[in-house]
Amino acid sequence: MDKFADDTDRKLCIIVSKGTLDGAYPSLIMANAALAEGIETHLFFTFWGLDVITEKKMGHLPVTPVGNPSMGMPQAVAPMPGMATVATKMMKKKIHDLDVPDIEEFVEMLSDMGAHLWACRMTVDMLDLDEGDFHESVEAVISAGDFIEMSEGAQLLFT
Amino acid sequence: MATETLAGTTVEVDDEGFFVDPSNWTEDMAPELASHVGVDELTEDHWTVIKFCRTDFAAKGESPTLRRVSTEAGVPTKQLFQLFPKKPAKKMSYVAGVPKPKGCV
């Protein structure tokens, strides 16, 4: 007997298209929540979302106050040198203080939880990357068509 | 309020079966609770997790998340999914008699 078993056969597919901290974390957190519920979860990283799984970049995702009025910085000041660095540092510290893992550890954790991670073929070609540039938990570089086939019957999130 | 009889004692539980008052929980209730969620035998590793849930809840006032169990109790995430299949966060709290975890990560 398993009182928490469900027979809904739920499946979640998330398209991650942003490579900023405020763009990436929501997707990773949703994926984490879904996996903890035993939901089959796939993440498809495309355009700047690819940075989230690129070894050289995943540790350095930024957040910028430019064009981001929600951060509360006057937009005339936001583009000044060093502002993005300060904002990134602050957000990373806040996230760390909440005991939420940094991006690298988060990706590893999702993989340990059974997430399926995929890189977008077109973006990989556009940015002159290859499979070796990605975190080891990435299963393969696949096309948009492959992902659409894979997501049949799934709930889909575009972020 | 629903009740459940475990190891000869009747306790109050919420709609999903989580303990209303975690202090009503005793160790001899754990095997029966585990059997409700598809865990037939409690190994030493299960007990490590259960005991951490108990002490962490007592210290923090909230049930630990999977990440807390992996970083603080040293039970890797992968293993948590083996010990409490499919829904480890809910299941470990359920067996340990603490509320459903609220933390996001």
Side-chain angles (χ1 to χ4, degrees), chain A residues 107-139:
Chain A
V107 167
E108 258 156 46
M109 181 173 78
L110 293 180
S111 165
D112 285 347
M113 294 172 90
H116 301 279
L117 311 183
W118 309 100
C120 164
R121 163 62 57 202
M122 195 197 107
T123 318
V124 167
D125 292 345
M126 183 179 79
L127 299 177
D128 289 324
L129 296 167
D130 65 52
E131 302 219 357
D133 293 314
F134 300 117
H135 189 267
E136 57 181 7
S137 60
V138 175
E139 287 181 40

PDB file of all heavy atoms in Angstrom, chain A residues 107-139:
ATOM      1  N   VAL A 107      21.862  22.026 -10.215  1.00  0.00           N
ATOM      2  CA  VAL A 107      21.761  21.159 -11.395  1.00  0.00           C
ATOM      3  C   VAL A 107      22.122  19.718 -11.024  1.00  0.00           C
ATOM      4  O   VAL A 107      21.456  18.770 -11.433  1.00  0.00           O
ATOM      5  CB  VAL A 107      22.659  21.699 -12.542  1.00  0.00           C
ATOM      6  CG1 VAL A 107      22.817  20.672 -13.657  1.00  0.00           C
ATOM      7  CG2 VAL A 107      22.076  22.996 -13.100  1.00  0.00           C
ATOM      8  N   GLU A 108      23.178  19.569 -10.217  1.00  0.00           N
ATOM      9  CA  GLU A 108      23.554  18.244  -9.758  1.00  0.00           C
ATOM     10  C   GLU A 108      22.445  17.593  -8.930  1.00  0.00           C
ATOM     11  O   GLU A 108      22.129  16.418  -9.078  1.00  0.00           O
ATOM     12  CB  GLU A 108      24.817  18.323  -8.900  1.00  0.00           C
ATOM     13  CG  GLU A 108      26.050  17.900  -9.654  1.00  0.00           C
ATOM     14  CD  GLU A 108      27.309  18.492  -9.055  1.00  0.00           C
ATOM     15  OE1 GLU A 108      27.463  18.439  -7.819  1.00  0.00           O
ATOM     16  OE2 GLU A 108      28.125  19.026  -9.830  1.00  0.00           O
ATOM     17  N   MET A 109      21.849  18.402  -8.053  1.00  0.00           N
ATOM     18  CA  MET A 109      20.784  17.888  -7.197  1.00  0.00           C
ATOM     19  C   MET A 109      19.597  17.412  -8.048  1.00  0.00           C
ATOM     20  O   MET A 109      19.052  16.335  -7.823  1.00  0.00           O
ATOM     21  CB  MET A 109      20.341  18.993  -6.220  1.00  0.00           C
ATOM     22  CG  MET A 109      19.255  18.589  -5.257  1.00  0.00           C
ATOM     23  SD  MET A 109      18.953  19.891  -4.029  1.00  0.00           S
ATOM     24  CE  MET A 109      17.986  21.061  -4.979  1.00  0.00           C
ATOM     25  N   LEU A 110      19.223  18.218  -9.049  1.00  0.00           N
ATOM     26  CA  LEU A 110      18.103  17.828  -9.915  1.00  0.00           C
ATOM     27  C   LEU A 110      18.420  16.514 -10.624  1.00  0.00           C
ATOM     28  O   LEU A 110      17.563  15.637 -10.747  1.00  0.00           O
ATOM     29  CB  LEU A 110      17.806  18.924 -10.938  1.00  0.00           C
ATOM     30  CG  LEU A 110      17.259  20.251 -10.388  1.00  0.00           C
ATOM     31  CD1 LEU A 110      17.009  21.221 -11.533  1.00  0.00           C
ATOM     32  CD2 LEU A 110      15.981  20.049  -9.586  1.00  0.00           C
ATOM     33  N   SER A 111      19.661  16.389 -11.075  1.00  0.00           N
ATOM     34  CA  SER A 111      20.067  15.169 -11.753  1.00  0.00           C
ATOM     35  C   SER A 111      19.969  13.973 -10.803  1.00  0.00           C
ATOM     36  O   SER A 111      19.461  12.908 -11.165  1.00  0.00           O
ATOM     37  CB  SER A 111      21.488  15.363 -12.274  1.00  0.00           C
ATOM     38  OG  SER A 111      22.045  14.136 -12.629  1.00  0.00           O
ATOM     39  N   ASP A 112      20.421  14.170  -9.557  1.00  0.00           N
ATOM     40  CA  ASP A 112      20.315  13.095  -8.556  1.00  0.00           C
ATOM     41  C   ASP A 112      18.860  12.729  -8.272  1.00  0.00           C
ATOM     42  O   ASP A 112      18.548  11.613  -7.880  1.00  0.00           O
ATOM     43  CB  ASP A 112      20.969  13.532  -7.232  1.00  0.00           C
ATOM     44  CG  ASP A 112      22.486  13.514  -7.324  1.00  0.00           C
ATOM     45  OD1 ASP A 112      23.011  12.947  -8.305  1.00  0.00           O
ATOM     46  OD2 ASP A 112      23.138  14.073  -6.423  1.00  0.00           O
ATOM     47  N   MET A 113      17.979  13.696  -8.431  1.00  0.00           N
ATOM     48  CA  MET A 113      16.558  13.443  -8.181  1.00  0.00           C
ATOM     49  C   MET A 113      15.893  12.773  -9.381  1.00  0.00           C
ATOM     50  O   MET A 113      14.725  12.421  -9.327  1.00  0.00           O
ATOM     51  CB  MET A 113      15.828  14.762  -7.870  1.00  0.00           C
ATOM     52  CG  MET A 113      16.275  15.419  -6.574  1.00  0.00           C
ATOM     53  SD  MET A 113      15.549  17.071  -6.375  1.00  0.00           S
ATOM     54  CE  MET A 113      14.032  16.666  -5.510  1.00  0.00           C
ATOM     55  N   GLY A 114      16.638  12.643 -10.462  1.00  0.00           N
ATOM     56  CA  GLY A 114      16.108  11.938 -11.623  1.00  0.00           C
ATOM     57  C   GLY A 114      15.624  12.825 -12.758  1.00  0.00           C
ATOM     58  O   GLY A 114      14.953  12.353 -13.679  1.00  0.00           O
ATOM     59  N   ALA A 115      16.003  14.111 -12.725  1.00  0.00           N
ATOM     60  CA  ALA A 115      15.593  15.011 -13.817  1.00  0.00           C
ATOM     61  C   ALA A 115      16.294  14.622 -15.113  1.00  0.00           C
ATOM     62  O   ALA A 115      17.408  14.095 -15.096  1.00  0.00           O
ATOM     63  CB  ALA A 115      15.946  16.448 -13.467  1.00  0.00           C
ATOM     64  N   HIS A 116      15.644  14.890 -16.234  1.00  0.00           N
ATOM     65  CA  HIS A 116      16.253  14.697 -17.539  1.00  0.00           C
ATOM     66  C   HIS A 116      16.603  16.073 -18.103  1.00  0.00           C
ATOM     67  O   HIS A 116      15.728  16.930 -18.222  1.00  0.00           O
ATOM     68  CB  HIS A 116      15.286  13.981 -18.483  1.00  0.00           C
ATOM     69  CG  HIS A 116      14.872  12.632 -17.966  1.00  0.00           C
ATOM     70  ND1 HIS A 116      15.661  11.512 -18.100  1.00  0.00           N
ATOM     71  CD2 HIS A 116      13.774  12.239 -17.278  1.00  0.00           C
ATOM     72  CE1 HIS A 116      15.059  10.482 -17.524  1.00  0.00           C
ATOM     73  NE2 HIS A 116      13.911  10.897 -17.015  1.00  0.00           N
ATOM     74  N   LEU A 117      17.883  16.280 -18.414  1.00  0.00           N
ATOM     75  CA  LEU A 117      18.336  17.582 -18.904  1.00  0.00           C
ATOM     76  C   LEU A 117      18.758  17.475 -20.362  1.00  0.00           C
ATOM     77  O   LEU A 117      19.526  16.577 -20.723  1.00  0.00           O
ATOM     78  CB  LEU A 117      19.517  18.088 -18.058  1.00  0.00           C
ATOM     79  CG  LEU A 117      19.374  18.058 -16.533  1.00  0.00           C
ATOM     80  CD1 LEU A 117      20.609  18.674 -15.878  1.00  0.00           C
ATOM     81  CD2 LEU A 117      18.137  18.809 -16.073  1.00  0.00           C
ATOM     82  N   TRP A 118      18.268  18.412 -21.168  1.00  0.00           N
ATOM     83  CA  TRP A 118      18.532  18.376 -22.602  1.00  0.00           C
ATOM     84  C   TRP A 118      19.033  19.743 -23.076  1.00  0.00           C
ATOM     85  O   TRP A 118      18.545  20.772 -22.624  1.00  0.00           O
ATOM     86  CB  TRP A 118      17.245  18.021 -23.363  1.00  0.00           C
ATOM     87  CG  TRP A 118      16.563  16.795 -22.844  1.00  0.00           C
ATOM     88  CD1 TRP A 118      15.481  16.767 -21.995  1.00  0.00           C
ATOM     89  CD2 TRP A 118      16.886  15.430 -23.106  1.00  0.00           C
ATOM     90  NE1 TRP A 118      15.133  15.465 -21.713  1.00  0.00           N
ATOM     91  CE2 TRP A 118      15.964  14.623 -22.390  1.00  0.00           C
ATOM     92  CE3 TRP A 118      17.861  14.803 -23.886  1.00  0.00           C
ATOM     93  CZ2 TRP A 118      16.007  13.227 -22.425  1.00  0.00           C
ATOM     94  CZ3 TRP A 118      17.891  13.411 -23.925  1.00  0.00           C
ATOM     95  CH2 TRP A 118      16.973  12.636 -23.207  1.00  0.00           C
ATOM     96  N   ALA A 119      19.980  19.734 -24.021  1.00  0.00           N
ATOM     97  CA  ALA A 119      20.475  20.974 -24.608  1.00  0.00           C
ATOM     98  C   ALA A 119      19.899  21.140 -26.002  1.00  0.00           C
ATOM     99  O   ALA A 119      19.720  20.161 -26.732  1.00  0.00           O
ATOM    100  CB  ALA A 119      21.999  20.942 -24.664  1.00  0.00           C
ATOM    101  N   CYS A 120      19.620  22.393 -26.367  1.00  0.00           N
ATOM    102  CA  CYS A 120      18.985  22.701 -27.658  1.00  0.00           C
ATOM    103  C   CYS A 120      19.994  22.668 -28.799  1.00  0.00           C
ATOM    104  O   CYS A 120      21.002  23.379 -28.771  1.00  0.00           O
ATOM    105  CB  CYS A 120      18.340  24.081 -27.560  1.00  0.00           C
ATOM    106  SG  CYS A 120      17.932  24.805 -29.143  1.00  0.00           S
ATOM    107  N   ARG A 121      19.736  21.842 -29.791  1.00  0.00           N
ATOM    108  CA  ARG A 121      20.625  21.659 -30.936  1.00  0.00           C
ATOM    109  C   ARG A 121      20.958  22.975 -31.650  1.00  0.00           C
ATOM    110  O   ARG A 121      22.102  23.306 -31.901  1.00  0.00           O
ATOM    111  CB  ARG A 121      19.970  20.654 -31.908  1.00  0.00           C
ATOM    112  CG  ARG A 121      20.509  20.611 -33.316  1.00  0.00           C
ATOM    113  CD  ARG A 121      21.961  20.201 -33.433  1.00  0.00           C
ATOM    114  NE  ARG A 121      22.262  18.909 -32.834  1.00  0.00           N
ATOM    115  CZ  ARG A 121      23.483  18.533 -32.432  1.00  0.00           C
ATOM    116  NH1 ARG A 121      24.497  19.366 -32.553  1.00  0.00           N
ATOM    117  NH2 ARG A 121      23.681  17.339 -31.913  1.00  0.00           N
ATOM    118  N   MET A 122      19.915  23.763 -31.943  1.00  0.00           N
ATOM    119  CA  MET A 122      20.160  24.976 -32.727  1.00  0.00           C
ATOM    120  C   MET A 122      21.045  25.960 -31.975  1.00  0.00           C
ATOM    121  O   MET A 122      21.949  26.582 -32.539  1.00  0.00           O
ATOM    122  CB  MET A 122      18.831  25.644 -33.095  1.00  0.00           C
ATOM    123  CG  MET A 122      18.985  26.679 -34.186  1.00  0.00           C
ATOM    124  SD  MET A 122      17.564  27.786 -34.262  1.00  0.00           S
ATOM    125  CE  MET A 122      18.292  29.266 -33.576  1.00  0.00           C
ATOM    126  N   THR A 123      20.789  26.116 -30.672  1.00  0.00           N
ATOM    127  CA  THR A 123      21.593  27.056 -29.888  1.00  0.00           C
ATOM    128  C   THR A 123      23.034  26.571 -29.775  1.00  0.00           C
ATOM    129  O   THR A 123      23.978  27.363 -29.830  1.00  0.00           O
ATOM    130  CB  THR A 123      21.001  27.228 -28.471  1.00  0.00           C
ATOM    131  OG1 THR A 123      19.593  27.324 -28.565  1.00  0.00           O
ATOM    132  CG2 THR A 123      21.541  28.465 -27.805  1.00  0.00           C
ATOM    133  N   VAL A 124      23.201  25.270 -29.625  1.00  0.00           N
ATOM    134  CA  VAL A 124      24.537  24.689 -29.534  1.00  0.00           C
ATOM    135  C   VAL A 124      25.323  25.014 -30.804  1.00  0.00           C
ATOM    136  O   VAL A 124      26.478  25.442 -30.749  1.00  0.00           O
ATOM    137  CB  VAL A 124      24.440  23.160 -29.308  1.00  0.00           C
ATOM    138  CG1 VAL A 124      25.787  22.490 -29.515  1.00  0.00           C
ATOM    139  CG2 VAL A 124      23.919  22.873 -27.902  1.00  0.00           C
ATOM    140  N   ASP A 125      24.659  24.880 -31.955  1.00  0.00           N
ATOM    141  CA  ASP A 125      25.316  25.198 -33.228  1.00  0.00           C
ATOM    142  C   ASP A 125      25.591  26.693 -33.331  1.00  0.00           C
ATOM    143  O   ASP A 125      26.660  27.118 -33.764  1.00  0.00           O
ATOM    144  CB  ASP A 125      24.431  24.748 -34.409  1.00  0.00           C
ATOM    145  CG  ASP A 125      24.349  23.226 -34.476  1.00  0.00           C
ATOM    146  OD1 ASP A 125      25.179  22.562 -33.828  1.00  0.00           O
ATOM    147  OD2 ASP A 125      23.435  22.719 -35.160  1.00  0.00           O
ATOM    148  N   MET A 126      24.615  27.490 -32.915  1.00  0.00           N
ATOM    149  CA  MET A 126      24.740  28.946 -33.022  1.00  0.00           C
ATOM    150  C   MET A 126      25.901  29.471 -32.180  1.00  0.00           C
ATOM    151  O   MET A 126      26.609  30.384 -32.579  1.00  0.00           O
ATOM    152  CB  MET A 126      23.414  29.579 -32.565  1.00  0.00           C
ATOM    153  CG  MET A 126      23.344  31.076 -32.686  1.00  0.00           C
ATOM    154  SD  MET A 126      21.719  31.676 -32.156  1.00  0.00           S
ATOM    155  CE  MET A 126      21.890  31.653 -30.391  1.00  0.00           C
ATOM    156  N   LEU A 127      26.090  28.887 -31.009  1.00  0.00           N
ATOM    157  CA  LEU A 127      27.129  29.373 -30.093  1.00  0.00           C
ATOM    158  C   LEU A 127      28.450  28.595 -30.233  1.00  0.00           C
ATOM    159  O   LEU A 127      29.362  28.766 -29.431  1.00  0.00           O
ATOM    160  CB  LEU A 127      26.630  29.302 -28.643  1.00  0.00           C
ATOM    161  CG  LEU A 127      25.385  30.126 -28.293  1.00  0.00           C
ATOM    162  CD1 LEU A 127      24.973  29.884 -26.845  1.00  0.00           C
ATOM    163  CD2 LEU A 127      25.635  31.618 -28.511  1.00  0.00           C
ATOM    164  N   ASP A 128      28.523  27.745 -31.262  1.00  0.00           N
ATOM    165  CA  ASP A 128      29.734  26.931 -31.485  1.00  0.00           C
ATOM    166  C   ASP A 128      30.133  26.113 -30.261  1.00  0.00           C
ATOM    167  O   ASP A 128      31.302  26.082 -29.871  1.00  0.00           O
ATOM    168  CB  ASP A 128      30.921  27.821 -31.909  1.00  0.00           C
ATOM    169  CG  ASP A 128      30.726  28.364 -33.311  1.00  0.00           C
ATOM    170  OD1 ASP A 128      30.174  27.612 -34.146  1.00  0.00           O
ATOM    171  OD2 ASP A 128      31.101  29.523 -33.556  1.00  0.00           O
ATOM    172  N   LEU A 129      29.160  25.485 -29.656  1.00  0.00           N
ATOM    173  CA  LEU A 129      29.450  24.631 -28.498  1.00  0.00           C
ATOM    174  C   LEU A 129      29.393  23.176 -28.952  1.00  0.00           C
ATOM    175  O   LEU A 129      28.947  22.882 -30.062  1.00  0.00           O
ATOM    176  CB  LEU A 129      28.400  24.862 -27.409  1.00  0.00           C
ATOM    177  CG  LEU A 129      28.367  26.265 -26.787  1.00  0.00           C
ATOM    178  CD1 LEU A 129      27.088  26.442 -25.978  1.00  0.00           C
ATOM    179  CD2 LEU A 129      29.583  26.510 -25.911  1.00  0.00           C
ATOM    180  N   ASP A 130      29.848  22.267 -28.107  1.00  0.00           N
ATOM    181  CA  ASP A 130      29.583  20.851 -28.364  1.00  0.00           C
ATOM    182  C   ASP A 130      29.296  20.140 -27.047  1.00  0.00           C
ATOM    183  O   ASP A 130      29.401  20.746 -25.984  1.00  0.00           O
ATOM    184  CB  ASP A 130      30.706  20.184 -29.170  1.00  0.00           C
ATOM    185  CG  ASP A 130      32.008  20.146 -28.409  1.00  0.00           C
ATOM    186  OD1 ASP A 130      32.011  19.670 -27.254  1.00  0.00           O
ATOM    187  OD2 ASP A 130      33.031  20.614 -28.951  1.00  0.00           O
ATOM    188  N   GLU A 131      28.960  18.860 -27.133  1.00  0.00           N
ATOM    189  CA  GLU A 131      28.475  18.138 -25.945  1.00  0.00           C
ATOM    190  C   GLU A 131      29.434  18.225 -24.764  1.00  0.00           C
ATOM    191  O   GLU A 131      29.018  18.220 -23.619  1.00  0.00           O
ATOM    192  CB  GLU A 131      28.222  16.661 -26.304  1.00  0.00           C
ATOM    193  CG  GLU A 131      27.230  16.507 -27.435  1.00  0.00           C
ATOM    194  CD  GLU A 131      26.279  15.333 -27.251  1.00  0.00           C
ATOM    195  OE1 GLU A 131      26.418  14.590 -26.265  1.00  0.00           O
ATOM    196  OE2 GLU A 131      25.388  15.174 -28.109  1.00  0.00           O
ATOM    197  N   GLY A 132      30.736  18.318 -25.074  1.00  0.00           N
ATOM    198  CA  GLY A 132      31.741  18.358 -24.025  1.00  0.00           C
ATOM    199  C   GLY A 132      31.712  19.623 -23.193  1.00  0.00           C
ATOM    200  O   GLY A 132      32.335  19.692 -22.134  1.00  0.00           O
ATOM    201  N   ASP A 133      30.996  20.642 -23.658  1.00  0.00           N
ATOM    202  CA  ASP A 133      30.950  21.906 -22.918  1.00  0.00           C
ATOM    203  C   ASP A 133      29.931  21.888 -21.787  1.00  0.00           C
ATOM    204  O   ASP A 133      29.874  22.827 -20.990  1.00  0.00           O
ATOM    205  CB  ASP A 133      30.592  23.065 -23.878  1.00  0.00           C
ATOM    206  CG  ASP A 133      31.704  23.325 -24.882  1.00  0.00           C
ATOM    207  OD1 ASP A 133      32.870  23.377 -24.455  1.00  0.00           O
ATOM    208  OD2 ASP A 133      31.400  23.458 -26.085  1.00  0.00           O
ATOM    209  N   PHE A 134      29.134  20.835 -21.732  1.00  0.00           N
ATOM    210  CA  PHE A 134      28.025  20.827 -20.777  1.00  0.00           C
ATOM    211  C   PHE A 134      28.293  20.023 -19.526  1.00  0.00           C
ATOM    212  O   PHE A 134      29.131  19.123 -19.508  1.00  0.00           O
ATOM    213  CB  PHE A 134      26.745  20.321 -21.454  1.00  0.00           C
ATOM    214  CG  PHE A 134      26.344  21.178 -22.614  1.00  0.00           C
ATOM    215  CD1 PHE A 134      26.315  20.671 -23.895  1.00  0.00           C
ATOM    216  CD2 PHE A 134      26.035  22.519 -22.412  1.00  0.00           C
ATOM    217  CE1 PHE A 134      25.976  21.480 -24.968  1.00  0.00           C
ATOM    218  CE2 PHE A 134      25.700  23.330 -23.471  1.00  0.00           C
ATOM    219  CZ  PHE A 134      25.672  22.809 -24.752  1.00  0.00           C
ATOM    220  N   HIS A 135      27.541  20.334 -18.513  1.00  0.00           N
ATOM    221  CA  HIS A 135      27.589  19.589 -17.262  1.00  0.00           C
ATOM    222  C   HIS A 135      27.300  18.116 -17.559  1.00  0.00           C
ATOM    223  O   HIS A 135      26.494  17.797 -18.438  1.00  0.00           O
ATOM    224  CB  HIS A 135      26.543  20.156 -16.289  1.00  0.00           C
ATOM    225  CG  HIS A 135      26.648  19.599 -14.908  1.00  0.00           C
ATOM    226  ND1 HIS A 135      25.922  18.515 -14.495  1.00  0.00           N
ATOM    227  CD2 HIS A 135      27.422  19.958 -13.858  1.00  0.00           C
ATOM    228  CE1 HIS A 135      26.232  18.245 -13.232  1.00  0.00           C
ATOM    229  NE2 HIS A 135      27.140  19.109 -12.823  1.00  0.00           N
ATOM    230  N   GLU A 136      27.965  17.232 -16.819  1.00  0.00           N
ATOM    231  CA  GLU A 136      27.869  15.798 -17.129  1.00  0.00           C
ATOM    232  C   GLU A 136      26.446  15.241 -17.029  1.00  0.00           C
ATOM    233  O   GLU A 136      26.136  14.202 -17.602  1.00  0.00           O
ATOM    234  CB  GLU A 136      28.788  15.009 -16.198  1.00  0.00           C
ATOM    235  CG  GLU A 136      28.457  15.259 -14.734  1.00  0.00           C
ATOM    236  CD  GLU A 136      29.366  14.500 -13.772  1.00  0.00           C
ATOM    237  OE1 GLU A 136      30.336  13.893 -14.234  1.00  0.00           O
ATOM    238  OE2 GLU A 136      29.067  14.541 -12.568  1.00  0.00           O
ATOM    239  N   SER A 137      25.577  15.951 -16.305  1.00  0.00           N
ATOM    240  CA  SER A 137      24.221  15.422 -16.136  1.00  0.00           C
ATOM    241  C   SER A 137      23.331  15.673 -17.361  1.00  0.00           C
ATOM    242  O   SER A 137      22.210  15.178 -17.414  1.00  0.00           O
ATOM    243  CB  SER A 137      23.580  16.029 -14.892  1.00  0.00           C
ATOM    244  OG  SER A 137      23.521  17.422 -15.019  1.00  0.00           O
ATOM    245  N   VAL A 138      23.827  16.446 -18.330  1.00  0.00           N
ATOM    246  CA  VAL A 138      23.038  16.680 -19.548  1.00  0.00           C
ATOM    247  C   VAL A 138      23.040  15.404 -20.380  1.00  0.00           C
ATOM    248  O   VAL A 138      24.097  14.851 -20.681  1.00  0.00           O
ATOM    249  CB  VAL A 138      23.627  17.866 -20.353  1.00  0.00           C
ATOM    250  CG1 VAL A 138      22.898  18.029 -21.677  1.00  0.00           C
ATOM    251  CG2 VAL A 138      23.537  19.144 -19.534  1.00  0.00           C
ATOM    252  N   GLU A 139      21.854  14.938 -20.745  1.00  0.00           N
ATOM    253  CA  GLU A 139      21.773  13.634 -21.412  1.00  0.00           C
ATOM    254  C   GLU A 139      22.181  13.693 -22.874  1.00  0.00           C
ATOM    255  O   GLU A 139      22.858  12.807 -23.367  1.00  0.00           O
ATOM    256  CB  GLU A 139      20.353  13.056 -21.272  1.00  0.00           C
ATOM    257  CG  GLU A 139      20.105  12.577 -19.855  1.00  0.00           C
ATOM    258  CD  GLU A 139      18.731  11.978 -19.644  1.00  0.00           C
ATOM    259  OE1 GLU A 139      18.232  11.250 -20.516  1.00  0.00           O
ATOM    260  OE2 GLU A 139      18.147  12.265 -18.582  1.00  0.00           O
TER     261      GLU A 139
END
